[in-house]
């Protein structure tokens, strides 16, 4: 018992040789492959909905507001269910939970294609969000437990690259398939592979929570059996590295969500690009820029072992560097300048995602990473991309009015080139450039928050490892350590 009290070797033996050498655990690549495939399909489904909104709304006799609500409903369901999924991921067999999440997502995506009424569509999209949230949160915790620091960042980057790849598929081949056949067929083909992936998930390994941290297995199992206490959750909320990364990510996602939503309308109304050109540009530039940003974030996360502060510094500086590119996007005179600015802004903002989740893995105890990841995901949506398009719409309408443009701030916008343009006979004048510039405060806040968190990370990383090496403060009397 003396060895256990001091945090030394226990009857479970030392960590595996692969962990000491910084290698991925057995089965890690299979988990990553399934998780990335699910993320790819989920992103394809999410971007397919706006791509086929017009024929869908025409066939079911829906208004624009009803079509937009379907996309918002998915995000709300995703954010609302994430904490539940995180709580379960910290307590039950994760491959089985992953399989359930994938199956629910796949069946709901297929159900979207089979829906014959607006009510059925709403139920299907809500279930797509719940299933996707379950699969996403469980996937993140498994990747964190299977890939040690240094390799975790590239693994998370590979997982998150499914987001832009799926967006490109949904807006490109998915939309083309829907145009050639019917919008229902596209959802059927996206959702059907999920059922096969659900079966594959049942074959994945369940690692001990914290396996990649290099701590002996017996000690990890004691922490796993003890589970997090109420005090642990309270400590999480005052963990500076965690909270700074969550708020930095949320403000960055606010900017990303608003920019991606408003950029197509801006290109059409302000620069006169035809619909086909806008669709091609958005379908190419936005996913490519996002992929570049995710890859850059993965590189920064791969350097966390010798330089942990880079997890904050790289995305913080990248986010602040996107501010002049945002101005170029909103105020640029030519198409090329605007597209360069848009690509640079989106790419730099996407550098935040991988480092923020690598920070989470570095400072949060493994037996509560499910809840921690779920809260981060929910905050990114609830504080970020769910409501940023609406706020930017208000800015566009407010500064489309002569009275607002006559104010001191309006005159500054006009001098910079952010002036109202006619949005159509029913909409009146809108200031699209001002709407894009509304993302600037959120970007500045994200950059400052991320840079401010860098000083806390080494200390809180060391504290997490010390706690993991120590004997748990409590052990559930009815739940002995699990035997693998």
């Amino acid at each position: 018992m003396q060895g256990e009290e001091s945090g030394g070797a226990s009857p479970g033996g030392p960590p595996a040789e692969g962990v000491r050498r910084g290698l991925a655990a057995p089965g890690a690549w299979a988990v990553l492959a399934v998780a990335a495939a699910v993320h790819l399909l989920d992103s394809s489904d999410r971007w397919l909905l706006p791509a086929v909104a017009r024929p869908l709304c025409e066939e079911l006799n829906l208004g624009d507001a009803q079509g937009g609500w379907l996309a918002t409903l998915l995000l709300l369901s995703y954010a609302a269910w994430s904490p539940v999924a995180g709580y379960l991921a910290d307590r039950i067999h994760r491959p089985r939970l992953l399989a359930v999440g994938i199956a629910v997502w796949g069946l709901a995506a297929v159900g979207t294609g089979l829906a014959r009424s607006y009510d059925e569509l709403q139920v299907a999209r809500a279930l797509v969000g719940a299933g996707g949230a379950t699969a996403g949160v469980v996937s993140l915790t498994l990747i964190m437990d299977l890939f040690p620091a240094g390799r975790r960042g590239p693994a998370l980057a590979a997982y998150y690259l499914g987001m832009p790849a799926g967006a490109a598929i949904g807006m490109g081949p998915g939309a083309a398939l829907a145009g050639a056949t019917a919008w229902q067929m596209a959802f059927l083909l996206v959702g059907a592979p999920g059922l096969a992936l659900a079966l594959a998930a049942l074959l994945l390994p369940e690692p001990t929570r914290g396996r990649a941290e290099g701590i002996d297995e017996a000690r990890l199992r004691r922490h796993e059996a003890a589970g997090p206490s109420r005090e642990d959750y309270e400590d999480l909320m005052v963990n500076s590295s965690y909270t700074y990364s969550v708020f930095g990510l949320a403000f960055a996602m606010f900017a990303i969500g608003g920019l991606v939503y408003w950029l197509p309308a801006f290109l059409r109304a302000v620069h006169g690009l035809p619909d086909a050109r806008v669709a091609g540009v958005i379908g190419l530039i936005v996913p490519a820029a996002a992929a570049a940003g995710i890859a850059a974030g993965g590189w920064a996360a791969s350097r966390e072992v010798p330089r942990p502060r880079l997890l904050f510094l790289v995305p913080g500086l990248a986010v602040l560097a996107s501010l002049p590119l945002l101005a170029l996007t909103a105020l640029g005179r030519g198409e090329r300048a605007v597209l360069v600015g848009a690509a640079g802004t989106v790419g730099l903002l996407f550098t935040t995602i991988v480092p923020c989740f690598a920070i989470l893995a570095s400072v949060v105890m493994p037996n509560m990473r499910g809840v921690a990841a779920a809260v981060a995901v929910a905050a990114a949506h609830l504080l970020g991309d769910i409501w940023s398009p609406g706020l930017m719409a208000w800015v566009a309408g407010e500064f489309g009015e002569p009275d607002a443009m006559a104010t001191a701030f309006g005159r500054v916008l006009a001098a910079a080139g952010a002036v109202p343009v006619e949005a159509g006979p029913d909409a009146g004048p809108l200031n699209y450039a001002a709407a894009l510039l509304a993302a600037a405060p959120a970007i500045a806040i994200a950059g400052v928050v991320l840079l401010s968190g860098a000083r806390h990370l080494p200390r809180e990383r060391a504290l997490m490892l010390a706690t993991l090496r120590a004997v748990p403060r409590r052990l559930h009397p009815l739940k002995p350590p699990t035997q693998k």
Side-chain angles (χ1 to χ4, degrees):
M1 291 301 294
Q2 184 176 1
E4 288 198 351
E5 293 299 329
S6 64
S10 71
E17 177 67 21
V19 174
R20 292 201 302 268
R21 295 173 56 196
L23 301 179
W29 297 107
V31 169
L32 182 58
V34 172
V38 174
H39 201 197
L40 174 74
L41 292 173
D42 182 44
S43 180
S44 300
D45 169 272
R46 190 175 303 183
W47 285 89
L48 183 61
L49 183 62
V52 303
R54 183 173 298 176
L56 184 154
C57 290
E58 289 176 354
E59 181 173 326
L60 297 180
N61 195 26
L62 304 179
D64 291 341
Q66 290 174 303
W69 167 246
L70 292 174
T72 303
L73 175 62
L74 186 150
L75 292 179
L76 285 172
S77 172
Y78 200 105
W81 186 255
S82 288
V84 178
Y87 182 87
L88 295 175
D90 287 333
R91 288 162 173 80
I92 65 176
H93 191 272
R94 286 175 291 178
R96 294 174 194 155
L97 182 60
L98 177 62
V100 171
I102 298 172
V104 170
W105 173 88
L107 290 171
V110 170
T112 302
L114 299 176
R116 293 295 178 264
S117 70
Y118 186 55
D119 289 341
E120 291 177 1
L121 269 178
Q122 290 186 89
V123 172
R125 300 318 289 170
L127 290 174
V128 165
T134 302
V137 169
V138 174
S139 295
L140 286 171
T141 65
L142 287 171
I143 291 171
M144 291 172 185
D145 285 337
L146 290 167
F147 290 89
R151 293 180 179 269
R152 187 180 291 143
L156 288 170
Y159 169 75
Y160 274 109
L161 282 173
M163 185 191 303
I169 292 172
M171 290 187 289
L177 174 65
T181 56
W183 64 267
Q184 293 93 338
M185 182 60 67
F187 284 105
L188 294 176
L189 291 180
V190 167
L195 304 180
L197 288 171
L199 295 176
L202 293 173
L203 303 177
L204 297 177
E206 166 68 299
T208 305
R209 290 167 175 83
R211 185 209 180 275
E213 304 307 328
I215 310 298
D216 65 270
E217 288 284 321
R219 181 57 44 80
L220 294 176
R221 291 172 190 162
R222 290 179 67 87
H223 283 285
E224 194 173 52
S229 64
R230 178 179 176 180
E231 291 75 16
D232 292 329
Y233 288 122
E234 291 172 351
D235 290 342
L236 178 64
M237 293 300 103
V238 295
N239 183 309
S240 298
S241 296
Y242 174 71
T243 54
Y244 277 58
S245 65
V246 169
F247 281 109
L249 177 64
F251 280 107
M253 291 303 296
F254 175 96
I256 291 171
L259 288 174
V260 172
Y261 181 88
W262 277 98
L263 191 58
F266 172 79
L267 293 174
R268 284 192 293 264
V270 177
H271 293 277
L273 272 64
D275 288 346
R277 172 70 172 157
V278 170
V281 165
I282 297 299
L284 175 64
I285 287 182
V286 171
I294 290 170
W299 172 85
S302 72
R303 309 296 298 167
E304 69 169 301
V305 174
R307 298 180 180 88
R309 289 186 176 90
L310 287 179
L311 291 176
F312 276 111
L313 296 177
V314 169
L317 293 173
V319 166
L320 293 178
S322 72
L323 284 171
L325 291 172
L326 174 66
L328 179 63
T329 304
L331 306 174
R333 299 300 182 187
E335 178 185 338
R336 179 176 297 179
V338 170
L339 295 182
V340 168
T345 304
V346 171
L348 289 171
L349 289 174
F350 265 97
T351 61
T352 58
I353 295 179
V354 172
C356 284
F357 282 100
I359 291 166
L360 184 156
S362 295
V363 300
V364 176
M365 286 286 289
N367 61 5
M368 58 188 299
R369 284 178 184 165
V371 166
V375 170
V377 169
H381 291 310
L382 294 177
L383 301 180
D385 56 3
I386 284 180
W387 64 288
S388 58
L391 178 61
M392 290 185 180
W394 177 84
V395 171
E398 184 70 16
F399 286 96
E401 297 295 330
D403 291 346
M405 293 302 294
T407 63
F409 190 70
R411 290 195 296 271
V412 170
L413 288 175
V419 296
V421 298
E422 287 297 327
D426 299 328
L430 294 176
N431 198 327
Y432 292 95
L436 295 186
L437 291 174
I443 292 174
I445 293 172
V448 171
V449 167
L450 290 170
L451 292 178
S452 301
R455 63 190 177 93
H456 301 284
L457 184 56
R459 175 179 58 83
E460 290 174 338
R461 165 69 174 168
L463 179 61
M464 187 277 288
L465 289 175
T467 304
L468 197 58
R469 292 188 180 101
V471 174
R473 288 179 290 183
R474 67 187 187 97
L475 186 63
H476 196 292
L478 300 180
K479 186 178 180 182
T482 57
Q483 298 298 319
K484 300 290 182 180

